[in-house]
Amino acid sequence: MCDRSRVSGYFFWARVDFTKLGWRALNQRDEFPQMICWLSRREKIAIFEMHQKSAHSATPSTTTLPPKKTPAISIAKHPKYPGRDIATIQDKHNAPDFEFYLKQFFNNFTETLLGPRQTDCLNRTPLSFQKVDVYDMFCFHPEELQDEEDEKDLVKAIGKSAKFPHGRFDTVVVYVRDDGESTGVADCVPVDVPELTSMLQCPGTRVGRVKVIFSLPKKLDTRFGPRDLPSTWPQGPLAYVEWYTLLAQVAEERNGIMYRIKIPPQNQQKRRLGAVIPLGNICQSCMLFPAYHGGREVLSDWNHENVLDKATSFYLNNWLSKYSYQTLY
């Protein structure tokens, strides 16, 4: 039989012991609320210790959670400037060749491709639309180098306005071939290669300046009325970038182990080197700052808003952050 007096004695001495421990942990002032708080904290600590023991004893299959999937690109649900005229975009975004490279981009989706020597024919071919939806910026998540770090990046392409008289057009590193790597930007060809007029001819990655972030209209204006977009055309947002010169094979030590790039000269058709690309081809943003050589002084009219337009030679800053230090080499 169970000795009830002995069982009740256990509870009695347990209360006495807890009372003594609680009293000794106090400063002997307002003892009743302090003792209640002390006991509540001890219970929480005991519950947490039990939780830790159960977590360690559980199998990995029951404790491992699936990795959190982060969307690669985040862009506004509605464009900043819906249905903006292409001529207005070329003026506001300082992109006079935007329409030409838009034609060149869609030429890749036609059955009869026009070659580089048929640019005159491409110039005379009108687009089946004259307006696109324009965005100011987009956010994306570059490929993570550390599992515990969530990388975030923001790219802006803001046209000229009263607030931004020169606009703002960020610089980025772009995949121009499927075999481009997320780390390392050195090209596999020398700097003094002939001019590359097609995106498919470039090495794995290249530095460019985003001039326009846009998406295509929902309908095409044809002679037979509005038509749906061809199924072969890209459905997601696009970007128009203007290229800088190709990177050297190795970042020279005399340049602080940074790559030096320039604004390339115009091609034979007096056009800037550019391309229309999907936003997913942009792997990260980057920072450029002017390169001064031969005792050249800084001009008084240069500032942070127009230096990318005024200067012609730049360094690719791989010391900007830990991520750029690990990827821009």
Side-chain angles (χ1 to χ4, degrees):
M1 296 181 61
C2 177
D3 189 347
R4 293 185 177 180
S5 61
R6 179 175 297 180
V7 173
S8 61
Y10 289 153
F11 287 103
F12 172 77
W13 289 111
R15 291 196 298 271
V16 170
D17 290 339
F18 271 108
T19 302
K20 290 181 179 179
L21 293 174
W23 174 260
R24 292 167 184 168
L26 306 179
N27 58 1
Q28 286 77 47
R29 294 182 181 180
D30 298 329
E31 61 277 0
F32 184 74
Q34 289 196 53
M35 291 175 68
I36 296 298
C37 182
W38 175 84
L39 183 60
S40 175
R41 290 174 178 173
R42 291 297 298 266
E43 289 176 347
K44 292 177 181 179
I45 292 173
I47 293 173
F48 182 68
E49 289 177 347
M50 292 175 60
H51 169 73
Q52 283 185 315
K53 291 179 180 179
S54 62
H56 286 304
S57 61
T59 59
S61 59
T62 59
T63 57
T64 303
L65 297 176
K68 182 181 177 181
K69 293 184 178 180
T70 308
I73 296 175
S74 302
I75 198 168
K77 185 176 181 180
H78 302 287
K80 180 75 172 180
Y81 303 101
R84 196 164 212 184
D85 189 74
I86 291 179
T88 304
I89 295 173
Q90 293 185 142
D91 176 55
K92 294 286 187 181
H93 291 250
N94 190 23
D97 303 316
F98 173 57
E99 183 176 5
F100 171 78
Y101 286 109
L102 198 56
K103 294 177 182 179
Q104 191 179 76
F105 176 73
F106 288 113
N107 180 46
N108 297 323
F109 298 95
T110 59
E111 295 180 356
T112 56
L113 295 177
L114 297 178
R117 297 182 180 180
Q118 297 174 296
T119 54
D120 291 339
C121 182
L122 195 62
N123 288 333
R124 294 192 301 268
T125 304
L127 285 170
S128 53
F129 57 90
Q130 288 300 320
K131 296 181 179 181
V132 295
D133 298 332
V134 179
Y135 300 84
D136 270 356
M137 66 186 77
F138 74 96
C139 179
F140 66 106
H141 299 264
E143 186 172 341
E144 299 177 5
L145 301 180
Q146 305 293 335
D147 294 338
E148 67 275 6
E149 295 184 5
D150 183 20
E151 300 292 342
K152 295 181 180 180
D153 213 336
L154 181 68
V155 176
K156 295 184 178 183
I158 304 175
K160 292 183 290 186
S161 63
K163 184 177 180 181
F164 299 98
H166 302 280
R168 171 177 171 176
F169 309 104
D170 290 349
T171 51
V172 293
V173 179
V174 181
Y175 295 126
V176 290
R177 257 189 4 199
D178 293 337
D179 56 355
E181 298 181 357
S182 61
T183 59
V185 293
D187 293 326
C188 58
V189 294
V191 177
D192 55 348
V193 296
E195 248 179 32
L196 300 178
T197 57
S198 171
M199 183 175 66
L200 298 178
Q201 293 175 296
C202 298
T205 55
R206 192 169 184 178
V207 179
R209 191 178 182 193
V210 179
K211 286 300 187 77
V212 190
I213 303 170
F214 67 100
S215 60
L216 300 178
K218 304 300 181 184
K219 299 286 184 178
L220 297 180
D221 298 327
T222 66
R223 67 177 67 180
F224 303 105
R227 295 291 182 90
D228 293 333
L229 270 67
S231 59
T232 57
W233 285 15
Q235 303 297 321
L238 305 169
Y240 168 62
V241 299
E242 292 182 351
W243 300 122
Y244 292 95
T245 54
L246 300 177
L247 300 169
Q249 289 180 313
V250 179
E252 297 184 9
E253 190 172 351
R254 63 176 182 175
N255 295 332
I257 319 180
M258 293 183 291
Y259 293 99
R260 186 184 176 190
I261 57 178
K262 298 180 180 180
I263 297 178
Q266 296 180 343
N267 59 20
Q268 295 179 353
Q269 290 78 33
K270 304 298 181 183
R271 299 188 184 279
R272 305 174 184 177
L273 296 183
V276 172
I277 60 171
L279 284 192
N281 285 24
I282 298 176
C283 56
Q284 69 180 99
S285 64
C286 61
M287 176 185 176
L288 306 181
F289 60 89
Y292 304 104
H293 288 280
R296 182 179 179 183
E297 297 180 357
V298 181
L299 301 180
S300 59
D301 61 339
W302 286 14
N303 54 51
H304 68 282
E305 295 180 350
N306 63 13
V307 67
L308 291 177
D309 299 315
K310 298 285 187 179
T312 59
S313 181
F314 304 90
Y315 288 123
L316 177 61
N317 186 8
N318 57 351
W319 307 96
L320 179 63
S321 63
K322 290 196 301 182
Y323 188 83
S324 60
Y325 178 75
Q326 292 175 295
T327 55
L328 303 178
Y329 61 84

